[in-house]
Amino acid sequence: MSDAAEGKAAIGPLDVTRVMAALPHRYPMLLVDRVEQLIPDERIVAIKAVSINEEFFQGHFPGRPIMPGVLQVEALAQAAGVLAVESLGLAGTGKLVYFMSIDGVKFRKPVEPGVLLRLEVEFVQKRSRICKFAGKAYLGDDLATECEFTAMIADPPSV
């Protein structure tokens, strides 16, 4: 059955301005540059343009720059955050999406500067405050990173 037939029309592409409306992250921690497609309550396909100008490449590693695995997982989590915020209608509410757990992380290929890292994340389970996701990051057709993770929807800290 098509997405439209199920009443779940795809959204996208979304530029970085729309991404920043969904996420509190900003440079240098904003790791989603664009959303190619978002199907509410199902999945998201987003892009991280990996540039040699990223601060972490200065020390990871000199002479052999590789994007740290923890930042690859963070990029997947941020894509999941956009998916959750858009699916649950939370944009503009100030609600935050916090990591609770990360499971089964596997790094298959190094992520080097000059690539477009395609982030594909889908809901595994969705409740009002707790969501479980499966994520995969690709370099072209090659799987670079995969994991499952759980996140909590929380109120913003009181000021």
Side-chain angles (χ1 to χ4, degrees):
M1 187 178 286
S2 74
D3 299 323
E6 293 179 27
K8 297 177 184 173
I11 302 169
L14 307 177
D15 66 11
V16 72
T17 304
R18 180 83 178 262
V19 171
M20 291 191 314
L23 297 176
H25 304 77
R26 296 297 179 261
Y27 177 83
M29 281 306 297
L30 181 63
L31 299 175
V32 175
D33 294 313
R34 179 178 178 83
V35 173
E36 294 295 316
Q37 183 185 59
L38 186 152
I39 301 172
D41 301 315
E42 286 186 23
R43 60 190 226 79
I44 187 170
V45 178
I47 301 295
K48 165 60 181 155
V50 182
S51 166
I52 190 62
N53 295 320
E54 309 277 357
E55 292 181 354
F56 52 80
F57 283 134
Q58 292 179 36
H60 200 270
F61 299 101
R64 178 70 164 101
I66 297 173
M67 183 179 186
V70 67
L71 293 180
Q72 295 170 49
V73 173
E74 174 66 21
L76 287 165
Q78 287 183 22
V82 174
L83 175 61
V85 165
E86 292 290 334
S87 295
L88 299 170
L90 301 176
T93 66
K95 298 235 185 233
L96 300 172
V97 182
Y98 290 127
F99 258 142
M100 290 178 64
S101 69
I102 306 167
D103 298 305
V105 179
K106 293 185 176 125
F107 301 106
R108 307 286 187 187
K109 289 185 86 70
V111 176
E112 300 170 324
V115 300
L116 294 178
L117 189 63
R118 189 175 74 250
L119 310 166
E120 297 188 6
V121 179
E122 61 185 32
F123 276 112
V124 172
Q125 186 176 57
K126 181 170 61 80
R127 297 189 178 143
S128 62
R129 296 186 58 88
I130 307 290
C131 299
K132 187 169 183 176
F133 303 93
K136 293 181 178 180
Y138 292 90
L139 298 167
D141 293 331
D142 295 329
L143 181 62
T145 307
E146 62 184 317
C147 63
E148 289 193 352
F149 48 96
T150 304
M152 173 179 62
I153 312 297
D155 291 324
S158 55
V159 184

